[in-house]
Amino acid sequence: MAKYIDTHVHFYDEAFLGEEDAAIARSIEAGVGIMIQPDVDSKERDRMIEISQRYPGTLYTMLGLYPGSVDENWEKEVEMYMERMGIRPVAIGEIGLDYHYSADSAELQKKALREQFRIASELDLPVNIHLRDATDDFFKVLEDCRHMGLRGNLHAFSGSYETFCRIQRYGDWSVGIGGVLTFKKSKLAEVVRQIPLDRILLETDAPYLTPVPHRGERNESTYIPLIAAKIAELKQIDLEEVAQVTTDNATRLFRLK
């Protein structure tokens, strides 16, 4: 079993173009034996799948439509990723709601989210949630879909402990903790102290949100141990415990072999 699992990394992003193999090799050397790539939309999907297929048993793949990619053609986009289900995704993601720049597409985003919740439920797959400045609407949709028996994680979690407790009312839900935890002015540290370790997943969201002391550089899965070390420091537990429990959490949620 991998010592660490990065549950959210975009090696297909143009920031890695021509350098993804070296970054993956460094990550494996750092003890990150499994890395999961979330889907965004049809523009980048083929490259994502191609990279994952080069590393069977190490790179895994999700399928989904990112909220920032939702427009009037969202149903066609969903159809396009459903045609790729033969790759056996480990989750439907990253999906969700994002009103940060504009809420103009809010209604379309909610429709797309409901449909993707239905797909996840039908296929018995977890969901990987991108949520930004839309918490109330997200929980309204989740409540409407309570009967679906959904499970999943809130990716790049930066919410309150109250939000964490709220998501627990809906079944098997975890939170993805990344580099923001290491930022000097981050309020996430106090929240992470309260969240049980068995509800935490490690992630980078590379190439974004690089942890200290590499902030400002391109992120990669190699830095997962830095995030794990910060969690160990905050919870005053051994680093090996953080590695073992978070790996077990990811293995269970995504049903990794």
Side-chain angles (χ1 to χ4, degrees):
M1 183 181 291
K3 182 174 182 180
Y4 295 107
I5 295 178
D6 185 349
T7 60
H8 200 107
V9 53
H10 304 260
F11 282 120
Y12 55 90
D13 188 277
E14 62 181 11
F16 285 107
L17 192 60
E19 300 178 10
E20 66 271 9
D21 292 313
I24 291 167
R26 284 191 294 271
S27 301
I28 293 170
E29 186 175 353
V32 188
I34 291 178
M35 292 154 268
I36 304 176
Q37 297 198 99
D39 194 9
V40 174
D41 57 38
S42 59
K43 298 182 185 70
E44 300 180 274
R45 187 171 300 125
D46 286 346
R47 176 166 160 76
M48 174 191 70
I49 292 172
E50 187 274 326
I51 293 171
S52 288
Q53 289 179 336
R54 298 205 308 255
Y55 295 90
T58 299
L59 263 62
Y60 291 81
T61 305
M62 305 181 199
L63 288 175
L65 180 62
Y66 173 70
S69 297
V70 170
D71 58 21
E72 291 79 6
N73 297 316
W74 70 266
E75 290 175 292
K76 178 61 177 176
E77 281 282 345
V78 170
E79 288 176 8
M80 290 173 72
Y81 80 67
M82 288 298 291
E83 294 171 357
R84 307 303 299 273
M85 279 295 162
I87 68 168
R88 296 186 177 183
V90 297
I92 300 298
E94 64 185 283
I95 64 176
L97 301 175
D98 190 331
Y99 301 167
H100 183 69
Y101 296 107
S102 172
D104 289 350
S105 65
E107 292 307 312
L108 291 176
Q109 287 188 43
K110 287 186 283 187
K111 288 179 181 179
L113 181 58
R114 285 189 176 91
E115 174 61 12
Q116 293 182 98
F117 275 170
R118 185 196 64 78
I119 290 168
S121 177
E122 185 176 284
L123 297 176
D124 192 23
L125 288 171
V127 291
N128 181 261
I129 300 296
H130 172 106
L131 180 60
R132 196 176 188 191
D133 295 343
T135 299
D136 287 343
D137 274 4
F138 170 73
F139 277 104
K140 287 176 184 176
V141 174
L142 188 59
E143 180 64 32
D144 290 344
C145 299
R146 181 187 280 273
H147 63 285
M148 295 181 182
L150 298 163
R151 68 186 193 279
N153 75 296
L154 298 180
H155 140 68
F157 185 72
S158 60
S160 65
Y161 182 63
E162 288 70 27
T163 298
F164 166 78
C165 292
R166 191 176 179 184
I167 196 72
Q168 299 311 303
R169 302 169 195 162
Y170 293 89
D172 185 7
W173 286 83
S174 301
V175 293
I177 301 299
V180 172
L181 180 65
T182 69
F183 296 177
K184 186 175 181 180
K185 295 183 179 180
S186 173
K187 298 178 181 179
L188 189 56
E190 288 305 316
V191 178
V192 167
R193 281 195 179 99
Q194 299 177 76
I195 295 175
L197 188 59
D198 66 2
R199 294 287 103 188
I200 291 176
L201 304 177
L202 302 179
E203 64 164 72
T204 56
D205 199 16
Y208 315 106
L209 302 177
T210 313
V212 173
H214 299 282
R215 192 174 183 185
E217 303 171 19
R218 183 191 66 194
N219 200 4
E220 59 183 57
S221 299
T222 308
Y223 302 141
I224 280 285
L226 297 174
I227 300 164
K230 185 63 177 181
I231 293 172
E233 174 192 325
L234 290 168
K235 290 187 171 295
Q236 298 184 320
I237 58 177
D238 190 82
L239 178 60
E240 291 299 319
E241 182 179 354
V242 175
Q244 183 65 60
V245 174
T246 56
T247 292
D248 289 346
N249 296 344
T251 301
R252 181 191 72 250
L253 180 62
F254 297 110
R255 295 178 179 171
L256 304 174
K257 296 181 180 179

